[in-house]
Amino acid sequence: MNEWIVILLAVCYLLGLFYVAFKSENTLSRFSNNGWVYALSLMVYCTAWTFYGSVGRAATGGIDFLAIYIGPLMTVPFWWLVLRKMVRVTRTFRISSIADFISSRYGKNARLGTIVALACIVGVIPYISLQLKAISSSIQIMSTGSLFDPSWIIALLVTGFAILFGARNVDANQRKPGLISAIAVESVVKLVAFCVVGIVVVFFLFSGFGDLFSKADGALELDRLTSLSEEGDFADWFFTCMVSAFAFLLLPRQFQVGSVEAGKEEHILTAMKVVPGYLLLINLFVVPIALGGSLLLPDNNPDFLVLSAPLEAGYEFLAALVFIGGFSAATSMIMVSTTALSTMLSNYVFIPAVLKSHKFEVTERNDYQRLLLFWRRVSIVTIMVLAYAYFQFLTGKESLISIGMISFIAIAQLAPAFFGGLYWKQANHRAATAGILSGLAIWFFMLVWPNTALQIDSILGGNSADASIAAVNWIGDRMEVSTTSATIILSLLVNVFCYVYLSLTTRQSAAEVNQATLFVDIFRYSGSFDSSVAWKGTARFPDIKSLLNQFIGRDRTDAVLDRYARRHGIDWDANPRVDSRVISYAERVLTGIIGPSSARIMVSNVVEEEEIGMGDVLDILQESREVIKLNKELRLKSQQLAKATENLKSANTQLQHYSDLKNEFLYTVTHELRTPITSIRAMAELIEDNPEMEQEQQSSFVSNIIYEAERMTTLISNVLDLEKFESGNQQLERASLDLKSLIDQECSAAQLLLQDKNIRMEVSINSHISPVFADSERIRQVLNNLISNAIKYCDQTNGFIEITAYNLEEQVKVNISNNGPGIQNEDLASIFDKFYQVKHQTRKKPVGHGLGLAICKNIIEMHKGTIGVEMHEEKVRFSFQLPMYKDIAV
Amino acid sequence: MKKKVLIVDDEPNIVMSLEFLMRKNDYEVFIARNGSEALELLSGKVPDLILLDIMMPDVDGYEICMIVKQEPRLKDSKVVFLSAKSKVSDIEKGYELGADLYITKPFSTRNLLKSVNQLLNEAS
């Protein structure tokens, strides 16, 4: 076939892709936002390495090529956990590359991001050049060995595509529907092409699987090709599986399509069904094609059997289809990889340098948007130039699959830091940096350097490679595995060791603690992410706005700020200062454009406070601990306060009660005073108004006036007494007191009155009665009061009073009873209250007015005695008890 | 014909004073030393005037007033409270029960006489 026809075919195919891409750029969510498109775009994993290399590998190494697909397949069940978490984090933090991801997780560490970016570039550029090599080789095979290599034309076109659809928008985090749709179409094309050629080989070149295998059985060492024979192969298999699993999720292009470009999280579920089926189909015919090709063309380059077989058989159209299939596998990989790598290259290498050289100012003049896009495109070109250069100058004779493997192992070095960061909060950036660098160092010296040295040797002459090759072989022999497996084991062991050891022994920065928590617990935080505060202090809204203007343009700035304002109910005009939430939001918007670390630096230019440092975090923690403590104390205090209030309330009630009593008392005293005064006044007036009054009548009035005056005096002195007792001002002069003699004295003093009223009195006092410890005058007062009450209230015609006294336990008891009308039970309890009889009542109680009993009660209680009244044998009996003298003395 | 006055009080000296005062002014005096005595007397006699204390051991003055005012036979009897209870509420209660006059203790015998005479003259 003429080489120009081949190139025309390739160009037409590419133009078709341009069309698909343009079409879906303009109908954004309809085509590309679909689970199937997502699943098919993930199949960018199947590159020319799959398309051509698998057959080559199968033809020489048997079915161990399958490991590259079994690894990813084993991860499928975990996608809903792991891939979804990656997607969520990527979406939440507006991450646009795996370098962003790792840098962001480890405190937005710019150096770590740069290391990851460079690792990816170094690891993947050979892989891109591998695709170029595949394209170039396939064109050469198609055009029957033309010496002219047109692959630069293809490279140019693919670069154009990547620039157009991969760096279309300044926001690298924004999805690229054109690119993704094109990739999905390419995935279909390569699958169909491969299956068609498989079917043709099996059913047209041979007559079915049986025919093919029986023929192969005779001609080839089939056992070697369809089984894992040697011991080391199992190890190779295992480690290839592992590395492939990592690669499937972490290769820049895989991360691009799997995480950055993911639409809905539910698409992962679709992918979990579609991807295994796709991988099964594309591998179904690998062995048959390899066998058939080997049988037909035993001397051909096994890597291109799939293409040379139909050519050899004269199926030109089929060969063209195969060529397009391989071409699509290669171009899709190149397009996505360059897009992904260029984002990293520009965000971690070019833009930091550009931003550093442009002294950043908050002005409307700078338009960083164009600058950013320019550098993003420069990055794409740079990547392509590097890949093309590598392809031209360094690609040697190693097979497609080995270059792929080198790439995989480089990317696998990111796995500990990546997955560790996703699930282990304690991991820190030092550990991640050390792990990645150590792993890459081993990878470089064991895998890259020997090959590179060989190339250099072949160009310059010399044998610089020999020593390193020997060393690597020696290590492999020692470990009884291939050098590839040895590299995987050693690099990952050292990597993981550094990562775990340093994470355990060194501390995280404050920013890192924050990010680590957000990453690991993303499902808990992604909803309320806006409230996570990584900035303290405020910024001026115009500064934030002009900052965004410069990177994303006026329209988008307005759009994102409007969206934020709507969601959070903020009126930008109301307050020119914005808080940390808005600053964080602006930072995240910028993260999508220039990556997390540059975004942080940019935002720090307009924020007026330092970003939060470890000390601040500790301060905040300390503060909140103090607040908790204060809260506790406050709660305690308020409980105490509530209690105090309660006490105060009851004290108040008590006071109110006392106040009422006092008022009542005053009222009663004045009431009691009114009666004698009434008599005194009335009688005095009568004497004055009736000068002719009889002498007898007059002296009766006068003596009654004197009597009433005395009554008043008594009342007043009682009131004063009571006041003294109640206020505690009354002092007792206590001494040993013989109650018997005191009672006898009082009885004889009353004798006259008793005779007058014809009252009989019996006094029976035990002769062994003990002395009491008491104030004789006060006890005399009590006795006097009780005896006069008894006289006053005993039966008026046949009065009888009985006084008894005796020792009762440690006290002396005195009873004074009379045969008066008695007291109602209900009144017994309150009879000792002052003015009991008049309280709220309109009827006088039989017991006399008075303060007498109240005073008695006070006196006895001051002596630590008791006083009471009861109905005893139909008599009213007042009794009191006083402590014996000896008790007190003791 | 002499006007009849019933003095109801448990304070002997007040009773004595009132008795002297009213006799001196040509009243026929009846004396009750407590509420039940007063009711007993009232069942037989129809006094023109009742001088009534409130605070008494058995039946209080308010009750007596109420009974008097409900008894048609006693419709012309004037009730004058003489009480040491000086709260407004006590006085209001007295008038609500139909008292013709409420005089607080201590009172002047001269004013009492004047008020009582006036009250009885108005009636006749």
Side-chain angles (χ1 to χ4, degrees), chain A residues 664 667 671 674-675 677-679 681-686 688-690 692-693 697 700-701 704-705 707-708 711 837-838 840-846, chain B residues 10-11 13-14 16-18 20-21 24 53-63 83-87 90 93 104-111:
Chain A
E664 183 73 35
Y667 175 74
H671 180 269
R674 280 167 199 273
T675 307
I677 287 174
T678 307
S679 299
R681 183 172 184 179
M683 288 176 174
E685 279 178 358
L686 289 174
E688 194 182 60
D689 291 348
N690 301 282
E692 77 289 2
M693 188 188 282
Q697 179 74 56
S700 163
F701 277 169
N704 278 332
I705 288 174
Y707 168 80
E708 294 291 351
R711 199 171 147 192
Q837 55 168 307
V838 292
H840 301 298
Q841 287 158 21
T842 48
R843 285 184 203 168
K844 278 187 183 168
K845 294 295 169 181
Chain B
D10 64 332
E11 279 290 327
N13 283 331
I14 291 174
M16 192 194 276
S17 310
L18 291 174
F20 183 91
L21 179 72
K24 200 78 192 165
D53 186 21
I54 294 174
M55 302 279 295
M56 287 180 296
D58 46 2
V59 185
D60 72 51
Y62 288 132
E63 274 178 72
S83 175
K85 292 170 80 75
S86 51
K87 285 183 191 162
D90 296 329
K93 186 177 175 190
T104 54
K105 292 172 178 175
F107 52 83
S108 156
T109 48
R110 296 155 192 172
N111 290 343

Side-chain angles (χ1 to χ4, degrees), chain A residues 16-28:
Chain A
L17 280 187
F18 272 87
Y19 175 77
V20 170
F22 266 122
K23 205 71 183 151
S24 53
E25 277 287 346
N26 296 329
T27 54
L28 173 59

Side-chain angles (χ1 to χ4, degrees), chain A residues 100-166:
Chain A
D100 278 3
F101 192 101
I102 290 175
S103 150
S104 189
R105 159 63 180 81
Y106 296 98
K108 308 184 183 179
N109 189 293
R111 201 178 45 193
L112 181 56
T114 312
I115 289 169
V116 173
L118 291 176
C120 289
I121 291 164
V122 171
V124 175
I125 279 185
Y127 202 177
I128 297 175
S129 71
L130 184 77
Q131 309 302 315
L132 290 172
K133 182 184 168 188
I135 292 170
S136 160
S137 304
S138 62
I139 290 174
Q140 287 195 334
I141 290 168
M142 282 294 284
S143 52
T144 50
S146 160
L147 287 174
F148 171 66
D149 180 4
S151 61
W152 62 270
I153 298 171
I154 303 302
L156 216 59
L157 276 171
V158 172
T159 308
F161 189 93
I163 287 172
L164 258 180
F165 297 100

Side-chain angles (χ1 to χ4, degrees), chain A residues 786 813-816 866-870 877-881:
Chain A
L786 293 178
K813 183 167 185 182
V814 178
N815 300 313
I816 300 168
T866 52
I867 189 167
V869 62
E870 57 186 345
R877 187 167 88 172
F878 285 87
S879 45
F880 63 87
Q881 283 173 241

